[in-house]
Amino acid sequence: MRVCVIGTGYVGLVTGTCLAHIGHHVICVDNNEAKVQLMKAGQSPIFEPGLSEIMQSATASGNLEFTSDLAAGVAHGDILFIAVGTPALANGESDTRYVEAVAKGIGAHLEGDYKVIVNKSTVPIGSGDWVRRIVLDGIKERETVGNGGASGEEVAKKIGVKFDVVSNPEFLREGSAVYDTFNPDRIVLGGNNSKAIAMMQELYTPIIERKYAEDQSLPAVPVVVTDLSSAEMIKYAANAFLATKISFINEVANICDRMGADVVQVARGMGLDSRIGQKFLNAGIGWGGSCFPKDVSALVHTADDYGYDAHLLKAAVEVNQRQRQIVIEKLQHELKILKGKTVGLLGLTFKPDTDDMRDAPALNIIEQLNRLGAKVKAYDPVVSQTGLRHGLSGVFVETDAERLADGCDALVVITEWQQFRHLDYPKMAKLMNNAVMIDGRNFLDPKQMQAAGFRYTGIGR
Ligand code: NAD
């Protein structure tokens, strides 16, 4: 099928590339010209395991193209994905201005045959109908001559433009985005037009039938067809649930810390209950990234707009904010005065296998340590001093873990990168002023760390 994906970030680029890989003809559009040039040269602007390889093969096969020309993308696609960012505004509300600009742009160029416009971006509940209206506004604005007081709907009908909006929320995880696209737990399609839903099912058929799955013998991927608002709500509710689950175990960890219980053992004992499950029960410095914080805030905000005070979600956010402070408290407990001390952060990104620093707990922790007069160094396998983005300041990024340890008074595990399991910890301990290890992800083995010469503290253990 002919597909256009607008916005080539973590979601758009992965979606466009994977759809091209399974045989569709995809044009990816981005208004960032530098990014487009990079992608045309076969390079991925983001770090995502496996992405570059399939990007290059799909481009070579002619199935994947990149452009900054929205008109060309809209003319090409029978299915047009909107995959631009929806960051949080200061009041927690979702900033939909990029979606609005794209919807307007689609309206300005929409011609001829029936098209499906897909909201892949995480958009506030009710946005499906709103996007339809913005597209119609775009159509109306370009067709001013002879259309006087006609509505966008009437103008579209008159010039023979037909389209429907479908909500198709994305559940991929950064760090395993390609894997998740080929091995989804479910595909959610929200809309009120059966032709549009049928086109989306056809688009995803190879994935639904698990032709590109790791385990092709599994039953077909469940497709959940709903109305527009329910599909939008599924995305928010799923992320809010996962964030709350982490905040829950962090609350338990803080109680464990006071009682002398070990939250790692507690979580295992809880998670073996099939009603609970093991996932998202790792206590630590809390959730971050480009999705959980903004999606939970947006849901709280929407609830508020509709007269509901979302107590539980607000508490999940509060527990998460407090959790970032716990690292500072543990450092103060170990080192007493932080002014003049050097703290080394193992990892910077909000989770392993990504270069995404948006709302990473490291940002808060660096800010607080700087405020308390500590010098902060870091080492991260993908974030370098020159590659620092998103306004990260007050930290010097070393090129390896041993340089990081050298002269530090404490190390803090911020991100559970697998390679951190195999560092030469006895050597690192010897290079430090004070061999203090605060494990913000309960990732390392306390006994091994003690044997390596560290004073080890985890979260709730
Ligand atoms: P991103 O910020 O990485 O990428 C957005 C892209 O859109 C950028 O490349 C930007 O240049 C481009 N863009 C902005 N305005 C444009 C315009 N007018 N025309 C063309 N391109 C434009 O965002 P992301 O992380 O990929 O997230 C996209 C959406 O998907 C968000 O709503 C997010 O909540 C949702 N989502 C993200 C994830 C994730 O893990 N990142 C997972 C699920 C859902």
Side-chain angles (χ1 to χ4, degrees), residues 179-430:
Y179 176 89
D180 292 346
T181 304
F182 291 135
N183 300 273
D185 291 332
R186 77 300 209 187
I187 291 175
V188 174
L189 300 173
N192 42 27
N193 181 285
S194 53
K195 182 174 176 185
I197 299 290
M199 279 172 71
M200 293 301 292
Q201 285 191 318
E202 186 187 342
L203 178 81
Y204 283 125
T205 296
I207 293 176
I208 294 169
E209 291 176 352
R210 303 217 186 254
K211 294 220 163 70
Y212 293 85
E214 186 176 62
D215 182 355
Q216 299 183 359
S217 67
L218 287 173
V221 174
V223 178
V224 183
V225 178
T226 69
D227 57 86
L228 275 168
S229 304
S230 300
E232 290 159 353
M233 180 58 111
I234 286 170
K235 174 65 192 172
Y236 281 107
N239 272 359
F241 180 81
L242 294 172
T244 305
K245 197 171 175 191
I246 299 172
S247 281
F248 176 87
I249 198 66
N250 281 336
E251 186 112 288
V252 171
N254 297 339
I255 302 170
C256 284
D257 248 343
R258 284 158 179 79
M259 308 295 297
D262 179 352
V263 74
V264 176
Q265 295 180 45
V266 173
R268 181 169 148 72
M270 282 172 65
L272 286 169
D273 183 328
S274 59
R275 294 169 304 176
I276 298 173
Q278 298 281 1
K279 291 181 179 166
F280 284 75
L281 277 186
N282 299 328
I285 56 176
W287 35 276
S290 66
C291 289
F292 284 5
K294 83 171 174 60
D295 291 352
V296 180
S297 303
L299 188 53
V300 168
H301 196 274
T302 303
D304 205 37
D305 277 349
Y306 286 81
Y308 183 77
D309 191 5
H311 282 294
L312 179 65
L313 301 182
K314 284 182 182 169
V317 173
E318 202 180 305
V319 168
N320 196 52
Q321 276 159 354
R322 198 176 55 194
Q323 209 62 18
R324 296 180 181 191
Q325 180 64 31
I326 279 169
V327 166
I328 309 294
E329 287 166 15
K330 287 184 184 283
L331 283 167
Q332 287 173 327
H333 180 77
E334 289 295 329
L335 302 175
K336 308 301 174 207
I337 308 290
L338 294 185
K339 201 175 182 69
K341 300 277 169 40
T342 302
V343 177
L345 307 183
L346 273 167
L348 282 168
T349 55
F350 80 98
K351 63 187 260 187
D353 294 321
T354 181
D355 57 352
D356 199 347
M357 284 296 300
R358 288 178 283 186
D359 216 341
L363 299 173
N364 269 146
I365 291 168
I366 292 166
E367 193 184 305
Q368 293 186 62
L369 288 172
N370 284 167
R371 190 176 54 76
L372 291 166
K375 180 178 163 195
V376 188
K377 304 200 290 174
Y379 165 63
D380 185 282
V382 300
V383 182
S384 65
Q385 185 68 24
T386 46
L388 284 184
R389 295 184 290 159
H390 306 291
L392 184 54
S393 61
V395 56
F396 182 78
V397 185
E398 298 281 5
T399 50
D400 66 53
E402 286 167 23
R403 279 175 204 261
L404 174 72
D406 197 3
C408 273
D409 293 285
L411 289 177
V412 182
V413 178
I414 298 285
T415 319
E416 62 276 39
W417 285 94
Q418 274 309 319
Q419 42 271 68
F420 291 169
R421 286 215 191 276
H422 312 293
L423 299 175
D424 188 345
Y425 286 107
K427 185 172 174 194
M428 285 164 63
K430 287 199 187 80

Side-chain angles (χ1 to χ4, degrees), residues 5-14 29-33 35 39 45-46 48 67-68 70 82-87 94-95 97-103 120-123 169-175 177 235-236 239 289-291 294-295 350-351 356 358 390:
V5 179
I6 306 157
T8 58
Y10 291 86
V11 166
L13 182 56
V14 171
V29 181
D30 206 289
N31 64 354
N32 181 333
E33 189 58 49
K35 230 179 185 183
M39 294 184 292
I46 54 169
E48 193 56 54
T67 182
S68 53
L70 181 62
I82 303 178
V84 293
T86 46
S94 192
D95 183 352
R97 85 179 96 154
Y98 306 104
V99 175
E100 184 171 357
V102 171
K120 192 68 159 162
S121 297
T122 303
V123 284
E170 181 53 64
F171 301 99
L172 63 75
R173 298 160 300 173
E174 287 177 20
K235 174 65 192 172
Y236 281 107
N239 272 359
S290 66
C291 289
K294 83 171 174 60
D295 291 352
F350 80 98
K351 63 187 260 187
D356 199 347
R358 288 178 283 186
H390 306 291

